[in-house]
Amino acid sequence: MYKLIAQDGRAKRGEFHTVHGVIQTPVFMNVGTIAAIKGAVSTTDLQEIGTQVELSNTYHLHLRPGDEVVKKLGGLHKFMVWDKPILTDSGGFQVFSLTSLRKIKEEGVYFNSHIDGRKIFMGPEQSMQIQSNLASTIAMAFDECPPHPATRQYMEDSVARTTRWLERCKKEMARLNSLPDTINKNQMLFGINQGGTFEDIRIEHAKRISELDLDGYAIGGLAVGESHAEMYRILDETVPYLPLEKPTYLMGVGTPANILESVERGVDFFDCVYPSRNGRHGHVYTNKGKLNLFNAKYELDDTPIEEGCGCPACKTYSRAYIRHLLKAKEMLGMRLCVLHNLYFYNHMMEEIRQAIEEGRYSEYKRQKLDGFKENDK
Ligand SMILES: [Zn+2]
């Protein structure tokens, strides 16, 4: 159940009640694709850096260790020792981006595993069954993530199929949630809006899927090669056609600036691999922009990554020490950078929530964006 607490312009401040606790939105979900945050970050660490939702991936966990294995071990929450909400991606995006020789049919997609090449079939029912075995809090609908750019005809056909698949997902989830041996019988379903950069297709699709009265709605197929300006235009056009009283999730986005702009357009769920991926390469976020800790100017810098930051890295270690660890390829260096970056994102979301509640979101956004440019001067 989603409760809209405050609005500032189009920016939404909400509370999403789940069987695994309440999610305060806007929220940034921390991406642990294979039930682990890359960079040697544990679920105990996640508690410490203010993570609200962990995000895992259906496709990857289906291949390894196998969703049946996870089910036998009591579901993802028990397996990875995390009692807060988990969202599982449907596997659709990975099937379309990682696998080769795929064949899209009305029933689903035939493809080869990117690990050992074996033939696999996944359709809406299979994706729901896997997510039910994983027992995540929120399951995502199985959709086609169309290529960018795509022709209008391709997009229309693809979106129509995605709608038919969504109806099948809803039906299958209701069936699975009623079975006696299902671990999470309160699993929720988010539908996904598609349509590339054709705003009329997006709007029609948004209206159509809103009628299905799902638990939340995502906007997929953005940040796949179009410009930021195009992405913001699509959000401006599409978000008003998604239900205000349900969460709006922009999949796979993005930089701190992308998040600030999208919150202003009514988005309240986010996920992205940037903070962990950049952290593993020694690139860290600060309120004055991104730093590359490999840079020689940090050799004798005994200050933390960011003064006043409450993350485990900044509370204890200096830029110079972390730089040394990174250069020596010690795993700790990578880990500290990832912890700092995730904390930075989680903390920014906390500031965003407060700014919306206090009705000063646009002022907050402007100051934050100005700050990020400081290191570029
Ligand atoms: Zn820090």
Side-chain angles (χ1 to χ4, degrees):
M1 195 265 295
Y2 181 80
K3 196 172 143 205
L4 190 62
I5 304 175
Q7 260 192 298
D8 185 1
R10 275 191 190 170
K12 289 159 75 178
R13 162 79 181 95
E15 269 183 6
F16 191 52
H17 294 253
T18 81
V19 72
H20 299 112
V22 179
I23 301 166
Q24 303 292 339
T25 83
V27 62
F28 180 77
M29 300 185 280
N30 294 191
V31 183
T33 307
I34 57 163
I37 308 269
K38 284 189 199 301
V41 173
S42 70
T43 43
T44 337
D45 295 320
L46 294 185
Q47 301 280 5
E48 202 183 338
I49 58 170
T51 302
Q52 294 195 74
V53 186
E54 194 273 345
L55 187 151
S56 284
N57 190 276
T58 296
Y59 168 77
H60 288 278
L61 292 171
H62 174 56
L63 296 190
R64 192 170 48 196
D67 49 290
E68 296 284 353
V69 170
V70 176
K71 185 176 185 180
K72 281 184 188 137
L73 292 165
L76 263 185
H77 283 89
K78 209 171 158 201
F79 186 44
M80 65 190 293
V81 194
W82 174 252
D83 59 5
K84 290 183 183 178
I86 296 177
L87 181 143
T88 43
D89 202 351
S90 71
F93 181 78
Q94 287 67 33
V95 168
F96 289 98
S97 62
L98 289 180
T99 66
S100 58
L101 301 168
R102 38 167 204 276
K103 246 195 204 118
I104 310 170
K105 295 274 177 80
E106 184 60 28
E107 63 267 29
V109 190
Y110 296 86
F111 59 94
N112 294 84
S113 151
H114 79 288
I115 296 177
D116 55 15
R118 77 186 151 99
K119 277 194 172 55
I120 303 178
F121 170 74
M122 200 188 282
E125 290 78 14
Q126 288 69 27
S127 175
M128 290 300 110
Q129 286 155 15
I130 297 167
Q131 295 184 78
S132 180
N133 284 342
L134 297 173
S136 57
T137 315
I138 303 165
M140 295 304 297
F142 187 74
D143 64 336
E144 181 190 350
C145 191
H148 176 81
T151 64
R152 189 176 175 89
Q153 189 58 51
Y154 186 96
M155 196 59 81
E156 279 175 353
D157 294 345
S158 164
V159 168
R161 187 169 43 230
T162 284
T163 308
R164 293 192 294 275
W165 284 0
L166 177 58
E167 286 162 351
R168 283 164 55 188
C169 285
K170 189 184 173 185
K171 208 171 146 197
E172 181 64 5
M173 173 168 287
R175 188 186 73 83
L176 293 164
N177 280 354
S178 71
L179 296 179
D181 70 333
T182 293
I183 298 171
N184 178 13
K185 295 183 180 64
N186 295 299
Q187 195 171 38
M188 296 192 278
L189 176 65
F190 280 18
I192 305 174
N193 171 256
Q194 291 286 359
T197 48
F198 299 101
E199 65 265 29
D200 56 330
I201 299 179
R202 286 258 178 206
I203 290 170
E204 274 315 304
H205 191 233
K207 287 183 189 167
R208 178 72 193 85
I209 61 177
S210 297
E211 290 166 7
L212 294 177
D213 192 29
L214 303 170
D215 299 297
Y217 291 90
I219 297 170
L222 288 179
V224 291
E226 80 289 350
S227 68
H228 286 165
E230 263 185 308
M231 178 171 85
Y232 299 145
R233 177 178 63 80
I234 290 298
L235 293 178
D236 282 333
E237 302 275 359
T238 314
V239 175
Y241 292 94
L242 292 171
L244 188 64
E245 68 288 354
K246 297 281 171 78
T248 309
Y249 166 23
L250 177 57
M251 303 180 81
V253 175
T255 64
N258 291 155
I259 291 177
L260 289 164
E261 293 290 352
S262 305
V263 163
E264 192 163 53
R265 289 163 170 85
V267 175
D268 56 3
F269 272 59
F270 296 90
D271 82 281
C272 189
V273 295
Y274 287 167
S276 48
R277 182 182 292 164
N278 281 323
R280 296 200 303 278
H281 294 100
H283 294 263
V284 289
Y285 292 91
T286 78
N287 284 312
K288 292 178 177 172
K290 217 160 32 156
L291 314 178
N292 177 358
L293 289 182
F294 278 99
N295 206 310
K297 70 177 172 187
Y298 304 118
E299 191 179 14
L300 294 169
D301 191 339
D302 62 0
T303 65
I305 296 171
E306 180 146 66
E307 211 71 62
C309 172
C311 89
C314 294
K315 278 196 290 191
T316 315
Y317 303 106
S318 67
R319 291 173 176 179
Y321 177 63
I322 299 172
R323 176 177 185 274
H324 157 69
L325 295 174
L326 289 166
K327 288 195 67 98
K329 296 192 168 59
E330 277 295 337
M331 204 180 289
L332 180 61
M334 184 168 95
R335 183 179 131 79
L336 292 172
C337 291
V338 173
L339 286 173
H340 168 81
N341 281 354
L342 289 175
Y343 180 92
F344 179 86
Y345 268 66
N346 293 338
H347 182 68
M348 183 179 84
M349 301 318 287
E350 208 176 306
E351 290 179 348
I352 287 174
R353 293 193 291 271
Q354 199 172 346
I356 297 172
E357 275 178 32
E358 292 169 3
R360 51 176 179 83
Y361 186 71
S362 50
E363 171 64 12
Y364 164 79
K365 187 197 90 172
R366 197 185 51 76
Q367 281 175 358
K368 205 80 181 167
L369 291 177
D370 285 349
F372 292 159
K373 289 178 200 140
E374 211 154 306
N375 279 330
D376 303 334
K377 278 177 191 164

